[in-house]
Amino acid sequence: MVNIGVLASGRGTNLQAIIEAVEEGRIEGEISIVVSDNPDAYALKRGKQYNIDTQYIDFKEFKSREDYDKKVVECLKEKEVELVVLAGYMRILTPHFIKTYKNKIMNIHPALLPSFPGLHAQRQAIGYGVKVSGCTVHFVDEGMDSGPIILQQAVEVKDDDSEESLAERILREEHQIFPQAIQLFSQGRLIIKGRKVFIKEVNLR
Ligand code: GRF
């Protein structure tokens, strides 16, 4: 059982997928808090609907990004969070945050990293003309979308795809691999060696 804290800034469809996976037993864990930097994030509403504690933290009340992150970390610690899940969280974490939860922070990115990091990954993919894109779940390090890769799923880019249509197909896959990666973490099956993440086989006896 892993105790999960989710950080989200927007609509929260990945949060929803994770909540459903917890409810259906596909993740052995519990979401103990949803934190957002956006008071209007639909993710906060989704959390509340499922009786999960939610917390909006106003960036403007803090002097620096470090101070803001210290507050977020404090919230997560209070809930004894063991795994921090970034589900559409629009802030870059400070080194203090990353050190505190070293190898215990996961992010989902809507491209096959290391291609197209940063914002508007689907737009970047269409603009570049790739035939295949997809999504990546990775551990978070100090860089931008650069930490060790846990799971990836490829998605075909069609000739007539718009940014929106591609984003929609990628999103469906995000909703599959993010809960899977969290479950692997919960089962203690993710072994990080340098840049690589090895997935331990389960011992069937
Ligand atoms: C997703 O596309 C995810 O890959 C990116 O932000 C978006 C969040 O969507 N990091 P949602 O809020 O989970 O619906």
Side-chain angles (χ1 to χ4, degrees):
M1 280 287 273
V2 65
N3 188 356
I4 304 162
V6 177
L7 309 192
S9 302
R11 62 191 169 173
T13 65
N14 276 288
L15 168 65
Q16 181 76 35
I18 296 162
I19 291 173
E20 285 169 16
V22 168
E23 301 243 308
E24 291 163 17
R26 286 180 285 119
I27 292 176
E28 293 160 77
E30 192 188 343
I31 305 174
S32 56
I33 188 154
V34 175
V35 178
S36 186
D37 58 334
N38 171 11
D40 303 320
Y42 196 70
L44 289 172
K45 290 212 179 74
R46 292 186 201 264
K48 284 189 192 121
Q49 274 164 17
Y50 287 86
N51 291 321
I52 299 168
D53 280 348
T54 59
Q55 177 90 48
Y56 158 58
I57 307 177
D58 183 359
F59 181 72
K60 293 192 293 294
E61 283 179 14
F62 298 85
K63 281 203 299 284
S64 63
R65 288 176 53 229
E66 281 71 20
D67 286 355
Y68 180 81
D69 270 6
K70 276 186 187 149
K71 177 69 191 173
V72 177
V73 164
E74 200 182 291
C75 269
L76 298 170
K77 290 266 164 195
E78 247 168 53
K79 294 284 179 185
E80 297 178 0
V81 163
E82 297 159 305
L83 173 68
V84 181
V85 168
L86 309 185
Y89 187 60
M90 298 310 286
R91 289 189 177 278
I92 297 182
L93 303 184
T94 54
H96 163 74
F97 195 136
I98 292 165
K99 270 189 213 108
T100 309
Y101 281 100
K102 192 166 167 48
N103 296 337
K104 291 182 176 138
I105 310 169
M106 274 186 197
N107 182 45
I108 181 108
H109 183 75
L112 292 177
L113 291 170
S115 291
F116 314 127
L119 289 176
H120 309 302
Q122 304 93 333
R123 191 186 303 170
Q124 294 185 54
I126 300 237
Y128 199 91
V130 292
K131 304 291 187 191
V132 178
S133 190
C135 46
T136 304
V137 184
H138 63 94
F139 283 113
V140 173
D141 66 8
E142 277 81 4
M144 162 74 88
D145 297 325
S146 61
I149 290 171
I150 304 166
L151 292 177
Q152 292 187 299
Q153 178 60 53
V155 172
E156 185 195 351
V157 181
K158 298 184 176 161
D159 288 347
D160 60 354
D161 257 334
S162 62
E163 182 184 348
E164 290 73 27
S165 63
L166 178 61
E168 199 183 303
R169 286 207 314 290
I170 292 176
L171 193 62
R172 266 184 251 147
E173 301 303 329
E174 294 181 30
H175 297 164
Q176 301 300 317
I177 65 169
F178 214 180
Q180 284 167 12
I182 294 169
Q183 171 65 351
L184 289 169
F185 182 94
S186 171
Q187 293 174 314
R189 293 175 57 194
L190 299 178
I191 312 297
I192 307 176
K193 285 189 184 150
R195 277 217 54 83
K196 290 192 186 162
V197 179
F198 295 93
I199 299 174
K200 261 204 294 196
E201 294 296 324
V202 269
N203 221 346
L204 296 173
R205 267 195 259 174

